[in-house]
């Protein structure tokens, strides 16, 4: 027993360096550490920049960097550069978009699809978010959220093929309709605007659901109870209390879905047809089919990026004004 205590004391002395203090404690009280801390944490401004340095580095080089590079390539007359040539600056890549209707039509079709599908996703997911936030017991909400999140643990391609299995000529939807005697032959759902819309709504519903649930869950039930005590019916409580107070979630969800739906490429290729070509397919053609047209593809991608960000900014501005008007 005495031998064990002696060994334990030896281990403790080794960990504390034999002077009663641990290595970490001696490091914190060292002159070098104190000098470095005095320089780095001398003022709140220095503390802020020290903490923000890595996030800023990540945002600039992992997110803004590729976008800035894409803008730069869009103004070059050739890319990738070849030996013995120096790329020149030009605006022809941007002008090409306005010169041919074959490029303009997919552009406006994409914006139209994004607008309609964003509205459709909002209409479909709002009741689900409301039920989850207001009619499911709080201790079970996490379980229901987990069940809703399970399909989104797989990639975009897998979920797109799941839609193809449902809507194919021999898919589940046609088989059920035929079993019920509603149809004699399969309905051609695939490669139409309908199949593309169903696919994108399925892929983006989570980005609408979570902001809506977060906003609705924060609305105190006492507000609804007070409105009911004042004689407001269920629809009046929804339009005058619930909907205005959930505008923050609506704005966030609609913005996310709109921005994401304009950039899908694989889903339109797999679910769409010749009449549903979106702008992402047009952009990809310049990179994959015509390899010497990268600057044109970069210009077209920049045009779509500027358009979607501008539309999102205008929408958020209008939602903010509407929210202030409701509060007043």
């Amino acid at each position: 027993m005495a031998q064990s205590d002696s060994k334990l004391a030896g281990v403790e002395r080794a960990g504390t360096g034999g002077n009663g203090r641990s290595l970490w404690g001696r490091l914190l009280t060292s002159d070098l550490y104190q000098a470095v801390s005095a320089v780095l944490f001398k003022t709140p401004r220095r503390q802020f920049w020290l903490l923000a340095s890595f996030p800023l580095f990540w945002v600039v080089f992992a997110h803004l960097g590729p976008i800035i590079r894409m803008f730069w390539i869009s103004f070059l007359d050739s890319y990738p550069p070849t030996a013995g040539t120096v790329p020149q600056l030009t605006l022809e890549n941007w002008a090409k978009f306005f010169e041919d209707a074959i490029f303009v039509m997919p552009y406006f079709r994409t914006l139209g699809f994004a607008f309609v599908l964003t509205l459709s996703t909002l209409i479909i997911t709002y009741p689900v978010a409301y039920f989850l936030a207001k009619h499911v017991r709080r201790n079970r909400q996490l379980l229901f959220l987990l069940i809703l999140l399970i399909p989104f643990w797989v990639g975009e391609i897998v979920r797109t093929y799941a839609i193809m299995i449902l809507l194919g000529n021999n898919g589940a939807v046609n088989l059920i309709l035929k079993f019920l005697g509603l149809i004699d032959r399969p309905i051609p759902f695939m490669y139409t605007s309908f199949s593309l819309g169903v696919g994108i709504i399925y892929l983006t519903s989570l980005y609408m659901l979570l902001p809506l649930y977060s906003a609705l869950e924060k609305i105190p039930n006492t507000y609804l109870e007070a409105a009911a005590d004042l004689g407001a019916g269920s629809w009046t409580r929804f339009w005058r209390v619930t909907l205005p107070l959930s505008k923050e979630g609506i704005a966030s969800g609609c913005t996310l879905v709109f921005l994401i739906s304009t950039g899908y490429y694989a889903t339109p290729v797999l679910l769409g047809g010749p009449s549903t070509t979106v702008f992402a397919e047009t952009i990809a053609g310049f990179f994959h089919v015509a390899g010497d047209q990268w600057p044109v593809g970069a210009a077209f991608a920049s045009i779509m990026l500027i358009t979607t960000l501008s539309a999102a900014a205008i929408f958020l501005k209008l939602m903010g004004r509407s929210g202030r008007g409701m509060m007043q």
Side-chain angles (χ1 to χ4, degrees):
M1 184 67 178
Q3 186 178 5
S4 299
D5 293 341
S6 176
K7 290 182 179 180
L8 180 60
V11 172
E12 291 177 349
R13 286 195 298 271
T16 60
N19 57 0
R21 290 187 301 174
S22 65
L23 177 62
W24 180 247
R26 286 185 286 116
L27 177 63
L28 292 177
T29 57
S30 65
D31 295 337
L32 178 60
Y33 180 83
Q34 295 295 334
V36 173
S37 299
V39 174
L40 295 179
F41 304 103
K42 185 176 181 180
T43 63
R45 182 181 295 273
R46 290 185 182 180
Q47 297 175 19
F48 168 78
W49 285 113
L50 181 64
L51 294 174
S53 58
F54 180 75
L56 289 175
F57 174 83
W58 178 262
V59 169
V60 171
F61 288 93
H63 296 277
L64 295 180
I67 295 176
I68 295 173
R69 183 63 176 171
M70 180 185 67
F71 272 104
W72 173 252
I73 293 174
S74 68
F75 291 102
L76 301 179
D77 61 351
S78 64
Y79 192 89
T82 57
T85 61
V86 179
Q88 303 295 322
L89 297 178
T90 180
L91 293 176
E92 292 183 1
N93 302 321
W94 292 71
K96 190 171 183 179
F97 170 78
F98 303 96
E99 294 174 354
D100 198 333
I102 195 175
F103 301 133
V104 177
M105 288 302 298
Y107 169 81
F108 284 108
R109 183 184 297 120
T110 300
L111 295 178
F113 272 158
F115 175 79
V116 173
L117 295 178
T118 299
L119 181 61
S120 302
T121 306
L122 173 63
I123 295 173
I124 292 172
T125 57
Y126 196 101
V128 179
Y130 182 84
F131 174 80
L132 185 61
K134 295 301 179 183
H135 294 280
V136 175
R137 287 188 296 180
R138 187 173 295 271
N139 59 350
R140 292 188 177 181
Q141 289 180 2
L142 183 60
L143 175 61
F144 277 77
L145 279 175
L146 182 63
I147 295 174
L148 293 173
L149 287 174
I150 288 176
F152 294 89
W153 292 353
V154 298
E156 172 191 349
I157 302 297
V158 176
R159 284 180 284 159
T160 301
Y161 275 109
I163 297 298
M164 297 176 67
I165 293 174
L166 288 176
L167 300 182
N169 288 339
N170 294 318
V173 175
N174 273 311
L175 290 178
I176 292 174
L177 293 177
K178 189 174 182 180
F179 175 79
L180 295 175
L182 300 177
I183 58 174
D184 295 327
R185 62 184 63 183
I187 300 176
F189 292 116
M190 285 298 300
Y191 313 119
T192 62
S193 298
F194 176 78
S195 61
L196 178 59
V198 171
I200 293 182
I201 289 174
Y202 173 57
L203 293 175
T204 58
S205 58
L206 178 65
Y207 302 102
M208 183 71 75
L209 176 65
L210 292 182
L212 288 176
Y213 165 77
S214 178
L216 290 168
E217 196 269 339
K218 294 177 182 177
I219 300 176
N221 291 329
T222 54
Y223 288 8
L224 302 176
E225 294 171 359
D229 292 339
L230 294 174
S234 57
W235 279 107
T236 303
R237 294 197 299 271
F238 173 76
W239 287 109
R240 301 295 297 273
V241 179
T242 305
L243 187 62
L245 292 179
S246 63
K247 280 193 173 183
E248 181 180 349
I250 295 174
S252 300
C254 289
T255 301
L256 286 173
V257 172
F258 179 81
L259 293 176
I260 294 173
S261 60
T262 56
Y264 274 124
Y265 170 72
T267 300
V269 170
L270 294 173
L271 295 179
S275 61
T276 61
T277 302
V278 296
F279 203 55
E281 297 178 72
T282 303
I283 295 172
F286 292 106
F287 291 97
H288 299 300
V289 179
D292 59 341
Q293 295 294 313
W294 282 25
V296 180
F300 282 26
S302 301
I303 291 173
M304 178 55 72
L305 178 63
I306 293 173
T307 303
T308 53
L309 291 180
S310 300
I314 294 173
F315 173 74
L316 291 175
K317 188 70 173 180
L318 294 175
M319 289 293 290
R321 291 179 178 177
S322 176
R324 288 193 295 270
M326 292 296 297
M327 292 300 293
Q328 294 173 358

